[in-house]
Amino acid sequence: MVLDNAKIHHAKLIQPFLNRVKDRLELMFLPPYSPEMNLIEGLWGWLKASVINNVFYKSLPQVRTAIQKFISNINKVPTQTIDRLCVRL
């Protein structure tokens, strides 16, 4: 399982769970400050640029609708999402 270095991934509260699954899961932590290696960061940036930046929504339901539309659109063309977010070596 690939994890970023968020505090929650190292919290004492989660340690009992990690101890129970350590023989079934290998945890690989990304280096600190490496958003380019964390694909979700690219998705958040894309979402913000497409939906949030320079837009005023009058209500939370409008924000929710815009985000759902964005997700629906990127799900229609998964190859575009892969091309945009995945680094090819």
Side-chain angles (χ1 to χ4, degrees):
M1 178 181 286
V2 178
L3 304 158
D4 61 16
N5 274 290
K7 289 182 182 182
I8 189 67
H9 298 144
H10 299 281
K12 289 181 182 179
L13 183 63
I14 198 170
Q15 293 306 312
F17 168 76
L18 295 177
N19 287 333
R20 283 195 313 270
V21 299
K22 66 182 174 186
D23 58 331
R24 293 181 286 153
L25 286 179
E26 179 180 349
L27 301 180
M28 184 170 79
F29 287 92
L30 295 174
Y33 308 109
S34 58
E36 71 284 353
M37 297 180 80
N38 191 350
L39 296 181
I40 197 67
E41 296 298 337
L43 182 62
W44 293 141
W46 187 8
L47 175 102
K48 287 181 204 177
S50 300
V51 177
I52 304 296
N53 289 354
N54 299 316
V55 179
F56 176 77
Y57 295 98
K58 292 182 180 181
S59 67
L60 186 57
Q62 287 180 336
V63 176
R64 184 178 295 120
T65 299
I67 291 171
Q68 288 170 335
K69 182 178 177 185
F70 171 81
I71 292 169
S72 176
N73 287 338
I74 68 169
N75 283 337
K76 289 177 184 172
V77 188
T79 54
Q80 178 187 2
T81 304
I82 291 167
D83 288 343
R84 180 152 182 167
L85 297 179
C86 295
V87 177
R88 301 204 193 276
L89 302 175

